[in-house]
């Protein structure tokens, strides 16, 4: 039953979220399973940007900073992103690339624990995060300990009293494994250290409760599940309890307590405004703002629920098609699922392993199925319930079966 296209079509017809697909400008014939790398274009964005460029910039010129709300945008958009990750207003700003936000957050985190000598970094994290951990440790004269997230409690135990800050990804970008952010944050706090969570593959994908979990700092991309477009600015969250002591290394004039005095010395603004830097990439920032509307309307919880069901469906199709000996013989190699099966242990992507992963991903792309490969042998399929349908999943697996043959 599940293995027929009719079954998938019926699920789509009953799906409460199916209408949200219309909010995205997805080209006909394209199955977008790559939203964890670059989210698709929300239909509201071109019009919003056109207004910003022609009317606000074109006609209002510099008045746009206050008449059109440009000045407040980093914190205004920050509060909207904050709501999506369980942060009360006044703790999140948007601006800069993920890399810069990471550098800023990680350095500030280490400076919150000046007496501690060890910086811990997630060994499975995205390359930028790992490179930056090395750089920050070197800059601050800290000893860097790289560890898989699963071994974090052990590492904290081994370096008892030494660890100042811990940088980890909430969802493994390769395998899609989701970590228990609340439980690990509690372990880090018990060790007297502070957390920096990279939420690039979690924000807008899985329900997060940063305030409730007692997270210290967090950052995340704007162009993945938040659909802000290529180069969309990233967000930085800092819990209110840390604001007064937060010593951020990127000290731009927008983060000054009295920016228009043009003073000789930097005095950080009260609250999260100190995490602002210089003039933000405003066009990208306002594109991101317009892009958030469909996700806010659907709600992260509902999107997550459907994304999990799409993941279950994909995995059952992959299992079902791969289990008969006849299929194996015919196909040579059939991919295996590497993402953990339990809903609490996976994000919204399913990763498959296949020896010819890069070739398969390229062949799928030629057929309009957008996925990506990660070396050496992984294919990632992002099942964002906001715009991916059951029929998309069925068709993607059909194509996969054909290209593996
Ligand atoms: C995508 C991603 C990045 C990318 O950083 P940019 O500065 O936006 O290129 C960094 N960290 C993680 C965990 C990511 O998933």
């Amino acid at each position: 039953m599940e293995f027929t296209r009719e079954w998938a079509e019926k699920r789509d017809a009953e799906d409460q979220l199916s209408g949200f697909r219309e909010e995205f400008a997805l080209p006909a014939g394209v199955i977008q399973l790559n939203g964890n790398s670059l989210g698709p274009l929300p239909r509201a964005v071109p019009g919003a940007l056109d207004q910003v460029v022609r009317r606000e910039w074109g006609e209002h010129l510099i008045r746009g900073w206050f008449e059109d709300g440009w000045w407040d945008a980093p914190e205004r958009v920050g509060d909207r992103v904050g709501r999506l990750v369980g942060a009360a207003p006044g703790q999140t700003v948007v601006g800069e690339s993920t890399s810069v936000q990471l550098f800023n957050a990680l350095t500030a985190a280490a400076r919150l624990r000046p007496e501690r000598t060890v910086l811990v970094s997630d060994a499975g994290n995205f390359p930028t995060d790992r490179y930056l951990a090395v750089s920050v440790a070197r800059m601050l004269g800290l000893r860097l300990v790289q560890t898989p997230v699963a071994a974090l409690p052990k590492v904290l135990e081994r370096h008892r009293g030494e660890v100042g800050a811990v940088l980890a990804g909430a969802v493994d970008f390769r395998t899609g494994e989701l970590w228990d952010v609340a439980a690990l944050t509690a372990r880090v706090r018990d060790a007297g250290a502070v957390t920096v969570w990279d939420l690039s593959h979690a924000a807008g994908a899985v329900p997060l409760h940063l305030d409730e979990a007692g997270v210290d700092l967090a950052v995340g991309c704007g162009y993945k599940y938040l659909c802000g477009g290529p180069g969309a600015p990233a967000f930085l969250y800092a819990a209110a309890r840390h604001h007064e002591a937060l010593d951020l290394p990127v000290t731009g004039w927008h983060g000054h307590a009295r920016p228009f005095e043009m003073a000789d010395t930097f005095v950080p603004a009260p609250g999260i405004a100190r995490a602002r830097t210089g003039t933000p990439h405003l066009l990208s920032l306002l594109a991101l703002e317009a892009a958030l509307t469909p996700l806010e309307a659907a709600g992260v919880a509902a999107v997550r629920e459907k994304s999990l069901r799409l993941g279950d469906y994909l995995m059952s199709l992959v299992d079902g098609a791969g289990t008969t000996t006849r299929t194996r013989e015919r196909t040579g190699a059939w991919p295996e699922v590497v993402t953990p099966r339990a809903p609490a242990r996976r994000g919204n992507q399913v990763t498959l392993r296949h020896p010819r992963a890069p070739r398969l991903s390229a062949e799928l792309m030629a057929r309009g199925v957008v996925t990506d490969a990660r070396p050496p042998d992984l294919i990632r399929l992002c099942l964002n319930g906001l715009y991916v349908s059951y029929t998309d999943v069925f068709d993607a697996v059909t194509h996969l079966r054909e290209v593996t043959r």
Side-chain angles (χ1 to χ4, degrees), residues 229-289:
F235 66 90
L236 183 155
Y237 160 92
R241 65 183 176 282
H242 290 307
H243 289 178
E244 219 176 294
L246 205 62
D247 185 2
L248 294 149
V250 185
T251 45
W253 71 285
H254 283 226
H256 196 283
R258 294 169 302 281
F260 295 99
E261 281 184 14
M262 308 277 155
D264 289 339
T265 45
F266 182 77
V267 180
I272 195 64
R274 73 182 48 201
R276 297 177 60 138
T277 56
T279 303
H281 304 108
L282 210 68
L283 300 182
S284 297
L285 180 51
L286 298 177
L288 171 61
E289 181 170 38

Side-chain angles (χ1 to χ4, degrees), residues 46-339:
L49 266 186
D50 192 66
Q51 165 87 4
V52 169
V53 171
R54 290 180 202 278
R55 239 184 110 71
E56 299 182 3
W57 177 17
E59 294 175 23
H60 303 170
L61 293 165
I62 202 168
R63 295 188 346 252
W65 281 105
F66 295 102
E67 288 180 12
D68 297 311
W70 296 352
W71 183 269
D72 298 325
E75 289 153 274
R76 182 178 70 240
V77 183
D79 282 345
R80 285 179 66 175
V81 172
R83 216 167 299 134
L84 295 170
V85 295
Q91 302 177 103
T92 313
V93 288
V94 177
E96 303 293 351
S97 68
T98 320
S99 318
V100 173
Q101 296 291 35
L102 267 166
F103 171 74
N104 222 8
L106 189 55
T107 307
R111 285 174 171 176
L112 284 170
R113 294 289 180 272
E115 73 288 358
R116 301 285 180 110
T117 54
V118 171
L119 179 67
V120 174
S121 164
D122 166 4
N125 215 338
F126 190 83
T128 293
D129 300 58
R130 289 164 48 215
Y131 304 156
L132 273 167
V134 171
S135 176
V136 168
R138 197 150 58 86
M139 200 179 66
L140 300 179
L142 298 171
R143 201 170 128 218
L144 180 69
V145 175
Q146 309 206 46
T147 173
V149 179
L152 181 58
K154 248 190 238 153
V155 166
L156 292 169
E157 192 55 41
R158 193 177 314 135
H159 299 278
R160 197 185 257 277
E162 296 174 344
V163 180
V166 176
L167 169 63
V171 175
D172 186 295
F173 81 103
R174 284 193 187 87
T175 64
E177 180 157 14
L178 168 68
W179 301 104
D180 187 338
V181 170
L184 289 169
T185 298
R187 297 294 279 264
V188 173
R189 188 193 318 119
D190 290 347
V194 294
T195 43
V196 181
W197 283 105
D198 190 323
L199 306 176
S200 292
H201 287 269
V206 301
L208 292 160
H209 311 280
L210 298 191
D211 288 345
E212 202 182 303
V215 167
D216 299 289
L217 291 133
V219 301
C221 289
Y223 51 82
K224 293 174 179 170
Y225 290 89
L226 301 183
C227 297
F235 66 90
L236 183 155
Y237 160 92
R241 65 183 176 282
H242 290 307
H243 289 178
E244 219 176 294
L246 205 62
D247 185 2
L248 294 149
V250 185
T251 45
W253 71 285
H254 283 226
H256 196 283
R258 294 169 302 281
F260 295 99
E261 281 184 14
M262 308 277 155
D264 289 339
T265 45
F266 182 77
V267 180
I272 195 64
R274 73 182 48 201
R276 297 177 60 138
T277 56
T279 303
H281 304 108
L282 210 68
L283 300 182
S284 297
L285 180 51
L286 298 177
L288 171 61
E289 181 170 38
L292 294 175
T293 311
L295 177 57
E296 290 171 332
V300 176
V303 171
R304 166 65 168 167
E305 202 43 50
K306 182 181 162 194
S307 303
L308 281 174
R309 271 183 270 126
L310 291 173
D312 290 339
Y313 183 42
L314 177 83
M315 291 189 283
S316 79
L317 288 176
V318 169
D319 290 346
T323 42
T324 70
T325 346
R326 226 185 62 212
T327 313
R328 278 224 192 87
E329 279 166 8
R330 210 176 51 230
T331 60
W334 180 245
E336 62 165 325
V337 174
V338 301
T339 305

